[in-house]
Amino acid sequence: RCLTIAHPSLGRFAWPLTCPCLRLFKASRLLVRFNSLASVSTLFSMPERRPFVRLPTDVYPVNYGLRLKPDLIDLTFEGKLEAAVEVTQGTNQIVMNCADIDIITASFVPEGGEEINATGFNYQNEDEKVTLCFPSILQKGSGSLKIDFVGELNDKMKGFYRSKYTTPSGENRYAAVTQFEATDARRAFPCWDEPAIKATFDITLIIPKDRIALSNMNVVDRKPYPEDHSLVEVKFATTPIMSTYLVAFVIGEYDFVESQSSDGVTVRVYTPVGKAEQGKFALEVATKTLPFYKDYFSVPYPLPKIDLIAIADFAAGAMENWGLVTYRETALLIDPKNSCASSRQWVALVVGHELAHQWFGNLVTMEWWTHLWLNEGFASWIEYLCVDHCFPEYDIWTQFVSADYTRALDLDALDNSHPIEVDVGHPSEVDEIFDAISYSKGASVIRMLHNYIGDEDFRKGMNAYLLKFQHKNASTEDLWECLEQASGKPIAAVMNSWTKQMGFPIIVVDQEQHGSDRVLKISQKKFCASGPRNGTYENCPNWMVPISICTSEDPSCTKMKVLLDQPETTVNITNIAPDHWLKINPGTVGFYRIQYSTTMLESLLPGIRDLTLLPVDRLGLQNDLFSLARAGMISTVEVLKVMEAFVNEPNYTVWSDLSCNLGVLSSLLSHTDFHEDIQEFIRDLFTPIGMKLGWDSKTGEGHLDALLRGLVLGKLGKAGHKATLEEARRRFKEHVEGKQTLPADLRSPVYLTVLKHGDSTTLDTMLKLHKQADMQEEKNRIERVLGAIPAPDLIQRVLNFALSEEVRPQDTVSVIGGVAGSSKQGRKAAWKFVKDNWEELHNRYQGGFLISRLIKLTADGFAIDKMAAEVKSFFESHHAPAAERTVQQCCENILLNAAWLKRDAEDIHQYLLQRKAPPV
């Protein structure tokens, strides 16, 4: 599942994620030291875990024969299940998962025996189970379980649910669609809803004859339904053996585009009616991607077809159902005229992510949710490998460092982080681990592992793993074993230190020159967002850290590799001239922060200004320093001085990361009376690159130039750069009047700029554009920036708009988040709005990950101690079980922000004043 729901270029608006990738506005980057607390987690401890027992193993399914008849008017469905099962030991009851379904009748027919009717259905609603009670013992052997049931096509975007769409003639209708991961197949039919209980599926859907029906497999029969001639019965081929969370079906009205991959798989992209053209880009990506993965894994795609479909109401970014991948419209549809560069990149990444799951997750499935990270971390890594193959001009691996790697480091530095591998029990705990640790840290440690092993041995190990466990379930340890055998390296020992304990090390480095040799002293200790902790090496966690070292002689080539498997070590590097620098972690691949000695850092900093350091290393150096400042280990002023050295920077991703960190600082300083001074600093830093780029694209420019222009103009406009504001207003006026349509890549920065400095007329115009927009990408683009409007009464209008019919349910969160992230007033108003409307919001998202995202976006940015207590208190009386850890993290971040402000605000103020002072 991809949880990222916006483009990386718009900030980390995911988890997770993506979690764009779906990536979270980097509120999680507001981490700093809180000196008076030994551990914030002691203040905000996690509640006790709920008791949970997995399903008994005395009866298990072999095949599900499933018939479903949805009513798209009354929004209900009828179902018939006929499951071939094995009874492994005699029992008079069958325990299954079942939620929000009413069972009408149930019976069991032993092979060659008489039908036995169930005498009772005992629902355990809390555990989402049902026990079918029988009057006699069901004997060991094969049999058939028959259940008739009914349910509701719900509006919660999970299970078997309804999705509202508008026909080209303007009529509102509903499609019936599914989202089963993690534990919601049980809302569509009674089943053994655990990933390790695999079976085959024979699915038949009874639907209106003017609708399309899709499922995991190809259609084998479509015939009139005898009881009602307005309906047809659509039968699908038998699936391979698979987990329930990967089953899917869709009934609705769609157009499609079709192609075949070079290895003979039929690929279709289904779009809203009349928008087939918008499926062509995703089709091109998918047809390139399938052969790439087949070649990479040396295992063919196992189904005859794959469908990719855009769903109007969809909570995640996308879902990897085997053979029928579902997407938000914005994660699949591209309009050549009205889609921006970041949307194309986003679609490419999400398609790459979901298709990777067809092998890694679907063919081989995690044994239990504890190993979820393996699914999501792997797909979040290989999506970049795939996009780099399809679109080398995207420089996507540099973007990985800003979008995934640094985001994971930020979250994992908190006391309220968690290990990559988390013991999961009760269903309510599962959604909470779909976060930046499972996705982004998972992807980052797999990238580090791939680098440590080398591509050839990595592929060899992956192939062995997929062949050994195909159509079965596996655990993290199974993968390590295959990679260990392929590489001969101690994979399990190295990786357990990264997956089984939370956090990561800071690598402390010092050097001495001995003749023509350089001696490095390298040590590791746990990095904490709240700064160094007292304690000896003996009681600190240790990691097995693959460390690479490069020199100024060849910054792109690794001079030496060592495995740091103890608290400290000394490394001797020969033939290094005294005036040459050394850099740890070239390529920013190792998952750790670095603290250089003063002399080492000073020798590296000129490489930022003269660009001799690679872009990814310029980014990593700046990001490490910013993180050390938040943790109180260096002064924030020192980082501002380093940031000024980026004035010649040409690289989009480096600017993007700088922009993110300055956004964090700007948000923090909105709690002071010198917020305007940091805006001036931003204007000074971004003006030269803004002048160089200009407003209009030039001949020969590419994808990254378009991303950089949008980023820089948006940053300058938001910071109140006069010339940018005037030009944005001029172009906006021409766009609205129909004289000159804004290019898609300029719309976000222009909309943001005019709103940030706008009034009620601006807001009215923007809402009118939103209403007129035919494309969901354009609606979302507007929704994300509406919160920039400054006047309190208009902020309230935007918040009310977020819950209106005009905004799709899944997008409400980004509207409220946009308000919270735009200003101090917006933050207060958004938090009050969430509290006042909590019942409606919580009911709407019913414990899914969107509720966690909403809490994070609205609560994370405060910087006053008492707000941590207020947030904690509110959620003690308004329970959100799926967001408990998010609440702890928000409270921790608020306290850390307050400490950062207290510690550094005055020094920052003095530095910003001194910059403005005329030279004496």
Side-chain angles (χ1 to χ4, degrees):
R1 186 153 49 144
C2 172
L3 299 191
T4 316
I5 53 171
H7 329 109
S9 64
L10 297 168
R12 280 78 165 196
F13 195 51
W15 278 99
L17 267 290
T18 253
C19 78
C21 25
L22 246 332
R23 308 184 179 246
L24 265 178
F25 280 128
K26 263 204 153 179
S28 62
R29 302 190 73 154
L30 304 178
L31 318 176
V32 288
R33 189 173 183 182
F34 190 65
N35 293 317
S36 61
L37 292 177
S39 166
V40 183
S41 59
T42 57
L43 243 171
F44 303 106
S45 55
M46 296 290 286
E48 279 186 36
R49 294 180 62 188
R50 295 161 75 180
F52 174 75
V53 180
R54 281 167 71 166
L55 292 170
T57 55
D58 50 6
V59 181
Y60 70 87
V62 177
N63 170 271
Y64 290 85
L66 182 63
R67 288 170 66 85
L68 288 166
K69 181 170 167 255
D71 186 323
L72 300 177
I73 306 300
D74 291 343
L75 306 175
T76 57
F77 63 90
E78 298 170 15
K80 285 181 182 293
L81 174 66
E82 190 163 332
V85 301
E86 282 294 321
V87 180
T88 58
Q89 61 183 67
T91 178
N92 65 351
Q93 59 182 34
I94 296 177
V95 183
M96 305 169 74
N97 291 115
C98 181
D100 304 332
I101 281 174
D102 289 323
I103 293 174
I104 311 298
T105 62
S107 65
F108 180 80
V109 185
E111 197 168 39
E114 297 270 318
E115 185 166 10
I116 307 165
N117 289 313
T119 49
F121 318 130
N122 178 15
Y123 295 95
Q124 296 102 57
N125 292 336
E126 189 77 1
D127 289 332
E128 300 181 345
K129 291 176 183 172
V130 65
T131 302
L132 307 178
C133 303
F134 293 90
S136 57
I137 298 289
L138 311 182
Q139 299 299 328
K140 186 175 172 181
S142 303
S144 176
L145 176 66
K146 298 179 180 180
I147 303 177
D148 287 4
F149 57 94
V150 293
E152 180 196 3
L153 292 172
N154 71 70
D155 60 355
K156 304 290 185 276
M157 294 184 286
K158 61 183 184 179
F160 196 14
Y161 72 93
R162 61 187 186 255
S163 172
K164 189 177 181 180
Y165 64 97
T166 307
T167 65
S169 64
E171 183 191 342
N172 283 336
R173 289 183 185 169
Y174 287 98
V177 303
T178 58
Q179 168 59 43
F180 290 165
E181 191 181 25
T183 56
D184 292 314
R186 62 193 65 175
R187 292 173 204 283
F189 57 100
C191 55
W192 288 262
D193 201 9
E194 295 182 0
I197 308 180
K198 289 188 167 187
T200 58
F201 290 81
D202 283 290
I203 292 170
T204 300
L205 299 174
I206 296 151
I207 63 159
K209 63 182 179 186
D210 60 350
R211 299 293 195 270
I212 283 174
L214 301 171
S215 188
N216 304 83
M217 296 298 287
N218 47 299
V219 174
V220 290
D221 191 22
R222 182 181 172 109
K223 60 186 182 188
Y225 183 58
E227 294 170 36
D228 184 338
H229 293 302
S230 68
L231 303 177
V232 289
E233 196 172 299
V234 183
K235 183 172 170 47
F236 298 90
T238 307
T239 70
I241 187 167
M242 62 188 284
S243 303
T244 48
Y245 80 88
L246 294 167
V247 173
F249 20 90
V250 174
I251 299 101
E253 296 174 278
Y254 300 94
D255 284 345
F256 67 86
V257 285
E258 179 180 329
S259 184
Q260 275 212 332
S261 66
S262 59
D263 45 353
V265 179
T266 301
V267 184
R268 284 182 174 182
V269 176
Y270 283 84
T271 73
V273 173
K275 296 186 178 180
E277 286 287 308
Q278 294 179 18
K280 284 186 172 175
F281 178 73
L283 184 68
E284 177 198 334
V285 176
T287 48
K288 282 184 185 174
T289 297
L290 286 171
F292 171 75
Y293 286 144
K294 177 192 173 183
D295 180 51
Y296 195 84
F297 297 131
S298 297
V299 175
Y301 174 72
L303 305 187
K305 64 91 177 177
I306 189 158
D307 297 326
L308 293 70
I309 184 165
I311 305 293
D313 293 319
F314 197 75
M319 176 63 211
E320 69 268 19
N321 317 298
W322 214 358
L324 175 57
V325 186
T326 45
Y327 295 79
R328 277 190 179 208
E329 289 185 5
T330 49
L332 191 68
L333 305 181
I334 290 295
D335 179 334
K337 286 202 181 101
N338 294 300
S339 288
C340 56
S342 54
S343 290
R344 287 173 183 277
Q345 178 178 302
W346 173 222
V347 167
L349 282 167
V350 182
V351 169
H353 181 103
E354 304 309 335
L355 295 195
H357 277 310
Q358 306 301 305
W359 285 262
F360 208 95
N362 300 7
L363 183 63
V364 178
T365 310
M366 72 244 147
E367 194 280 329
W368 184 245
W369 299 109
T370 299
H371 307 284
L372 169 82
W373 85 272
L374 206 53
N375 259 18
E376 297 303 348
F378 185 85
S380 298
W381 168 75
I382 206 168
E383 69 184 65
Y384 283 86
L385 197 71
C386 166
V387 168
D388 191 47
H389 164 78
C390 295
F391 304 98
E393 69 276 16
Y394 285 9
D395 183 28
I396 203 73
W397 279 117
T398 306
Q399 296 194 55
F400 173 90
V401 173
S402 183
D404 280 272
Y405 170 95
T406 58
R407 188 164 53 95
L409 287 170
D410 288 341
L411 183 58
D412 206 27
L414 294 178
D415 289 338
N416 285 291
S417 180
H418 62 83
I420 281 179
E421 284 195 57
V422 185
D423 280 334
V424 174
H426 198 277
S428 67
E429 296 169 18
V430 177
D431 261 330
E432 205 169 15
I433 58 164
F434 284 88
D435 69 355
I437 300 298
S438 295
Y439 283 71
S440 297
K441 183 180 179 182
S444 298
V445 299
I446 286 170
R447 175 170 169 256
M448 177 170 68
L449 173 66
H450 175 264
N451 183 263
Y452 173 59
I453 293 177
D455 189 61
E456 191 181 334
D457 286 346
F458 187 85
R459 289 172 73 162
K460 208 185 297 175
M462 291 302 311
N463 172 253
Y465 171 79
L466 288 169
L467 289 178
K468 183 176 180 181
F469 294 101
Q470 61 184 329
H471 303 297
K472 299 191 187 100
N473 296 80
S475 67
T476 304
E477 287 70 26
D478 295 320
L479 178 60
W480 295 165
E481 192 181 313
C482 292
L483 291 172
E484 203 157 293
Q485 285 173 4
S487 67
K489 292 184 174 177
I491 304 304
V494 171
M495 294 307 290
N496 285 346
S497 71
W498 296 97
T499 65
K500 293 189 183 298
Q501 61 183 0
M502 76 179 203
F504 59 89
I506 179 167
I507 303 298
V508 182
V509 196
D510 203 353
Q511 66 178 11
E512 285 178 10
Q513 187 79 21
H514 292 179
S516 63
D517 294 355
R518 192 80 56 89
V519 178
L520 290 184
K521 187 184 174 193
I522 301 174
S523 62
Q524 61 162 305
K525 55 189 177 186
K526 185 177 190 301
F527 180 76
C528 299
S530 53
R533 299 278 161 79
N534 297 326
T536 60
Y537 279 130
E538 285 72 47
N539 57 18
C540 287
N542 263 331
W543 288 263
M544 292 183 76
V545 191
I547 292 197
S548 303
I549 301 161
C550 72
T551 72
S552 49
E553 205 168 20
D554 188 352
S556 62
C557 181
T558 296
K559 177 100 174 171
M560 179 180 261
K561 286 187 174 189
V562 292
L563 185 65
L564 179 64
D565 56 0
Q566 53 207 15
E568 52 188 307
T569 193
T570 303
V571 177
N572 190 51
I573 299 173
T574 56
N575 300 321
I576 297 282
D579 60 341
H580 282 190
W581 50 253
L582 284 180
K583 166 92 177 59
I584 306 293
N585 202 17
T588 315
V589 174
F591 193 74
Y592 47 83
R593 297 281 186 199
I594 305 169
Q595 185 172 25
Y596 291 103
S597 65
T598 307
T599 53
M600 286 189 82
L601 183 60
E602 283 173 356
S603 70
L604 284 168
L605 291 180
I608 291 175
R609 199 176 283 273
D610 66 20
L611 309 179
T612 50
L613 276 170
L614 296 177
V616 72
D617 290 323
R618 300 196 295 270
L619 186 162
L621 197 59
Q622 174 269 136
N623 199 282
D624 275 351
L625 290 170
F626 190 76
S627 192
L628 294 179
R630 289 188 320 233
M633 295 166 73
I634 60 172
S635 159
T636 306
V637 169
E638 293 308 307
V639 185
L640 289 171
K641 288 176 181 172
V642 170
M643 285 177 167
E644 291 186 287
F646 283 88
V647 71
N648 302 318
E649 181 57 55
N651 184 279
Y652 158 70
T653 313
V654 178
W655 275 114
S656 174
D657 203 73
L658 262 172
S659 169
C660 238
N661 287 338
L662 282 167
V664 167
L665 204 52
S666 174
S667 177
L668 186 76
L669 298 179
S670 68
H671 299 277
T672 70
D673 56 5
F674 59 92
H675 188 235
E676 175 49 34
D677 295 335
I678 193 70
Q679 303 313 306
E680 188 176 341
F681 179 91
I682 291 168
R683 292 195 295 268
D684 290 349
L685 186 59
F686 279 78
T687 296
I689 183 74
M691 298 286 283
K692 184 180 169 190
L693 286 165
W695 279 81
D696 299 305
S697 58
K698 302 171 185 69
T699 310
E701 282 188 348
H703 176 79
L704 293 166
D705 301 294
L707 293 182
L708 181 56
R709 180 174 287 108
L711 174 80
V712 170
L713 292 176
K715 201 73 178 171
L716 284 169
K718 191 177 180 187
H721 183 256
K722 196 162 179 253
T724 304
L725 174 56
E726 285 170 2
E727 183 64 6
R729 282 176 170 158
R730 184 186 75 76
R731 288 179 180 241
F732 182 68
K733 185 169 183 287
E734 289 195 341
H735 177 70
V736 171
E737 289 171 354
K739 290 178 184 169
Q740 182 72 50
T741 303
L742 274 168
D745 288 307
L746 290 182
R747 288 183 202 170
S748 277
V750 167
Y751 294 168
L752 174 66
T753 301
V754 297
L755 276 163
K756 182 71 181 171
H757 309 279
D759 55 18
S760 60
T761 309
T762 322
L763 182 60
D764 288 342
T765 306
M766 203 62 84
L767 290 173
K768 189 177 170 190
L769 284 180
H770 180 276
K771 199 172 185 66
Q772 290 168 350
D774 179 46
M775 205 182 171
Q776 199 56 35
E777 178 188 326
E778 176 74 354
K779 285 186 184 291
N780 286 172
R781 195 168 14 235
I782 294 167
E783 287 161 2
R784 278 192 297 268
V785 296
L786 286 173
I789 200 83
D793 59 322
L794 301 181
I795 287 173
Q796 200 53 50
R797 264 185 72 193
V798 172
L799 289 167
N800 293 335
F801 172 75
L803 276 178
S804 72
E805 286 285 313
E806 296 292 315
V807 178
R808 289 202 176 277
Q810 69 266 24
D811 298 320
T812 296
V813 173
S814 54
V815 180
I816 299 171
V819 172
S822 65
S823 64
K824 187 179 176 182
Q825 294 78 9
R827 195 176 299 118
K828 285 180 180 171
W831 170 240
K832 183 177 186 302
F833 185 79
V834 167
K835 288 191 297 180
D836 291 348
N837 294 276
W838 178 251
E839 200 172 320
E840 181 178 349
L841 289 163
H842 189 250
N843 183 49
R844 176 181 287 198
Y845 303 123
Q846 284 236 328
F849 68 88
L850 281 173
I851 205 76
S852 293
R853 181 164 296 153
L854 178 69
I855 292 167
K856 188 164 193 60
L857 289 172
T858 50
D860 221 33
F862 290 106
I864 305 158
D865 290 357
K866 68 175 185 183
M867 280 307 300
E870 183 180 315
V871 170
K872 178 174 183 278
S873 168
F874 179 78
F875 287 108
E876 280 173 347
S877 56
H878 300 79
H879 294 294
E884 284 166 355
R885 186 177 277 113
T886 302
V887 172
Q888 320 305 324
Q889 289 167 351
C890 288
C891 292
E892 182 176 354
N893 271 331
I894 294 167
L895 294 176
L896 293 167
N897 292 341
W900 188 9
L901 205 54
K902 193 174 173 184
R903 187 180 62 245
D904 274 7
E906 190 47 43
D907 286 350
I908 296 170
H909 190 198
Q910 289 310 314
Y911 174 70
L912 294 174
L913 287 175
Q914 164 244 309
R915 277 182 79 254
K916 290 196 290 187
V920 178

